[in-house]
């Protein structure tokens, strides 16, 4: 449902994301959850992000390249801009005078193994380079991000290796770049619902981010089915099942669908800092369905650190799934940093042909359902073990 065209890729702060938030609030209400946000089911979150406001273009000597297929913006380090200039190729070890770079569109056709992206971009900006084109492999389609930096001073594009090599030895080619990249903070919403328990001092939070990358202005779709419509669907079903349990639960269950994960974990940071009730434990779920089978699940930790990680690891192993001790970059990080016992569940791809997230391929046609079913079983069992084992959690 969340990956349908109605929600337009769910980029935080857009109409598609707002529609998704309303849908999720309505779903929690129907499941029997009470509002737990600042305004009914919603809590406002300011999310800064990098967004294209019209199509991006790269034209080299009259050849218009395809956005997302031949090139893409390097969003975390790039400014927007409209640039024309001559192409100048720089390879590792080239002896080029700094003054020769001013006003040029600089192409880096081979990245050294120790390539410092951020440092190179900052140095190029200090020399007056007009724009940077950086070779970035031969992907089926380019990975998209919506991180942004207001300190970036020049447009930076990733370009397909074969095209970088094609143009690398042709000096002085005219280049035109249109990169209407807007970096702006927008009002967004976390969606929060609570199922009150007998002892309101203790709360288990179930979290998943519902935002994704948003569709491009020229119509290229980013459905975000695996990342993270899958995690939201599982958490919503867990919530429905918990609401049907009898007798009343011994503790609160807070379900939080979070915004701004793709732009820097903003929704999770807001919830971790100002939860509606104190959080006793958090289970976050981000990404299921990469492969036909659920072979491995990450935990959000590099090692077993407490009773919750041990409990979760036991459940995962009992389902015949490999435990991967990997500290992630998902919303679980925000809660771990606040010292809240947290598990960051997510499928770990193990096969070379796994579907790639943040690309055009993360769509319903490439989603595998068996990992969704097993992910639900694991998550539901972990939650129920927490609820039914007050000695482990202190709940009751």
């Amino acid at each position: 449902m969340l990956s349908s065209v109605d929600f337009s890729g769910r980029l935080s702060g857009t109409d598609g994301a707002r529609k998704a938030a309303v849908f999720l609030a309505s779903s929690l209400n129907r499941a029997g959850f009470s509002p737990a946000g600042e305004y009914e089911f919603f809590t406002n979150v300011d999310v800064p992000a990098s967004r294209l406001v019209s199509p991006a273009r790269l034209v080299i000597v009259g050849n218009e390249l395809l956005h997302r297929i031949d090139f893409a913006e390097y969003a975390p380090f790039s400014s927007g801009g409209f640039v024309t200039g001559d192409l100048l190729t720089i390879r590792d070890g080239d002896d080029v005078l700094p003054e020769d770079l001013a006003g040029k569109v600089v192409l880096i056709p081979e990245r050294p193994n120790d390539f410092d992206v951020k440092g190179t971009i900052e140095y190029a900006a200090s020399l007056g380079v007009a724009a940077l084109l950086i070779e970035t492999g031969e992907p089926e389609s380019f990975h998209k991000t919506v991180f942004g930096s207001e300190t970036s001073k020049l447009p930076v594009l990733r370009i397909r290796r074969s095209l970088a090599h094609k143009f690398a030895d042709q000096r002085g080619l005219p280049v035109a770049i249109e990169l209407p990249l807007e970096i702006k903070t927008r009002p967004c919403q976390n969606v929060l619902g609570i199922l009150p328990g007998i002892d309101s001092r203790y709360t288990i939070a179930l979290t998943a981010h519902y935002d994704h990358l948003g569709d491009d202005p020229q119509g290229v779709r980013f459905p975000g089915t695996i990342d993270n419509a899958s995690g939201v669907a599982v958490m919503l079903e867990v919530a429905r099942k918990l609401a049907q349990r009898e007798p009343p639960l011994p503790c609160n269950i807070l379900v939080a669908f979070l915004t701004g994960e793709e732009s820097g974990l903003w929704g999770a940071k807001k919830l971790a800092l100002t939860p509606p009730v104190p959080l006793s434990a958090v289970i976050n779920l981000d990404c299921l369905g990469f492969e036909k089978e659920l072979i491995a699940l990450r935990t959000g930790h590099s090692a077993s650190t407490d009773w919750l990680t041990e409990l979760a690891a036991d459940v995962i192993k009992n389902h015949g799934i490999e435990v991967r001790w990997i500290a992630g970059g998902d919303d679980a990080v925000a809660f771990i940093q606040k010292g809240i016992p947290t598990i960051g569940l997510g499928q770990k791809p193990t096969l070379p042909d796994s579907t790639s997230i943040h690309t055009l391929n993360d769509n319903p046609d490439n989603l595998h359902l068996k990992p969704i079913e097993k992910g639900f079983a694991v998550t539901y069992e972990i939650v129920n073990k927490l609820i039914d084992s007050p000695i482990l959690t202190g709940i009751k």
Side-chain angles (χ1 to χ4, degrees):
M1 181 65 180
L2 284 186
S3 56
S4 73
V5 68
D6 293 340
F7 300 120
S8 307
R10 312 184 307 279
L11 178 62
S12 53
T14 63
D15 286 342
R18 283 187 283 273
K19 289 179 182 177
V22 170
F23 166 76
L24 292 171
S26 176
S27 298
L28 286 174
N29 185 47
R30 288 196 304 271
F33 280 71
S34 300
E38 296 170 353
Y39 309 97
E40 294 294 320
F41 283 97
F42 306 110
T43 290
N44 291 336
V45 183
D46 290 332
V47 177
S50 173
R51 296 167 173 84
L52 284 170
V53 295
S54 60
R57 299 180 67 226
L58 172 60
V59 182
I60 302 179
V61 69
N63 296 281
E64 180 150 1
L65 307 187
L66 295 175
H67 187 220
R68 301 290 175 217
I69 304 300
D70 296 329
F71 77 98
E73 63 275 11
Y74 222 136
F77 305 112
S78 180
S79 71
F82 298 82
V83 172
T84 58
D86 292 339
L87 191 70
L88 176 64
T89 299
I90 300 292
R91 291 184 170 88
D92 193 28
D94 281 356
D95 187 16
V96 180
L97 296 175
E99 55 265 31
D100 293 339
L101 300 177
K104 296 293 194 297
V105 177
V106 172
L107 170 64
I108 300 175
E110 294 106 13
R111 289 179 304 160
N113 291 333
D114 58 350
F115 185 59
D116 178 3
V117 175
K118 186 172 184 290
T120 299
I121 292 169
E122 290 174 349
Y123 183 59
S126 74
L127 297 177
V129 167
L132 270 178
L133 307 179
I134 301 174
E135 171 271 313
T136 316
E138 289 286 328
E140 186 174 345
S141 66
F142 275 99
H143 184 275
K144 180 181 179 181
T145 62
V146 291
F147 276 92
S149 170
E150 295 181 348
T151 63
S152 299
K153 295 181 174 62
L154 77 163
V156 184
L157 301 178
R158 296 167 289 167
I159 184 170
R160 186 172 293 279
R161 180 183 295 125
S162 56
L163 291 171
H165 290 177
K166 173 183 175 181
F167 297 118
D169 295 321
Q170 303 179 53
R171 299 180 65 83
L173 298 179
V175 178
I177 295 170
E178 295 182 19
L179 190 61
L181 202 61
E182 179 184 77
I183 300 169
K184 184 177 179 180
T185 297
R186 302 193 183 196
C188 305
Q189 301 82 33
N190 283 343
V191 183
L192 307 177
I194 195 165
L195 196 64
I198 295 171
D199 192 335
S200 60
R201 293 176 300 168
Y202 301 104
T203 300
I204 298 171
L206 310 179
T207 64
H209 78 88
Y210 70 92
D211 65 304
H212 191 55
L213 305 172
D215 297 344
D216 280 344
Q218 70 268 44
V220 176
R221 291 226 56 225
F222 285 85
T225 305
I226 296 168
D227 182 22
N228 182 36
S230 63
V232 171
V234 167
M235 284 307 194
L236 190 54
E237 185 60 20
V238 170
R240 291 183 180 125
K241 292 289 187 183
L242 292 173
Q244 296 167 5
R245 273 189 44 145
E246 292 290 346
L249 300 176
C251 63
N252 300 327
I253 298 294
L254 176 73
V255 175
F257 296 121
L258 303 172
T259 189
E261 192 269 354
E262 302 292 2
S263 305
L265 317 183
W266 294 102
K269 291 174 182 175
K270 177 68 176 280
L271 179 59
L273 183 64
T274 57
V277 290
L279 303 181
S280 308
V282 176
I283 301 171
N284 186 70
L285 182 56
D286 193 349
C287 295
L288 292 167
F290 292 97
E291 301 168 349
K292 292 180 180 179
E293 299 289 340
L294 183 52
I295 297 170
L297 274 171
R298 65 179 183 271
T299 63
H301 297 266
S302 57
S304 181
T305 57
D306 56 24
W307 53 267
L308 180 56
T309 54
E310 292 172 5
L311 183 153
D314 286 343
V315 172
I316 293 168
K317 286 185 285 189
N318 288 340
H319 281 264
I321 301 166
E322 180 185 347
V323 177
R324 291 288 180 91
W325 295 104
I326 297 173
D330 62 7
D331 281 329
V333 172
F335 304 104
I336 293 169
Q337 289 177 344
K338 286 293 181 181
I340 303 168
T342 301
I343 286 293
L345 295 175
Q347 183 173 6
K348 181 63 180 175
T350 60
L351 303 174
D353 60 349
S354 299
T355 300
S356 296
I357 62 169
H358 286 218
T359 71
L360 311 180
N361 293 327
D362 183 358
N363 60 54
D365 291 339
N366 292 320
L367 178 71
H368 300 286
L369 295 181
K370 190 175 288 187
I372 306 292
E373 296 169 354
K374 293 192 76 171
F376 165 79
V378 168
T379 306
Y380 191 57
E381 184 173 339
I382 291 172
V383 176
N384 277 285
K385 280 187 177 293
L386 283 174
I387 292 170
D388 296 331
S389 303
I391 291 175
L392 286 175
T393 62
I395 294 171
K396 207 170 187 176

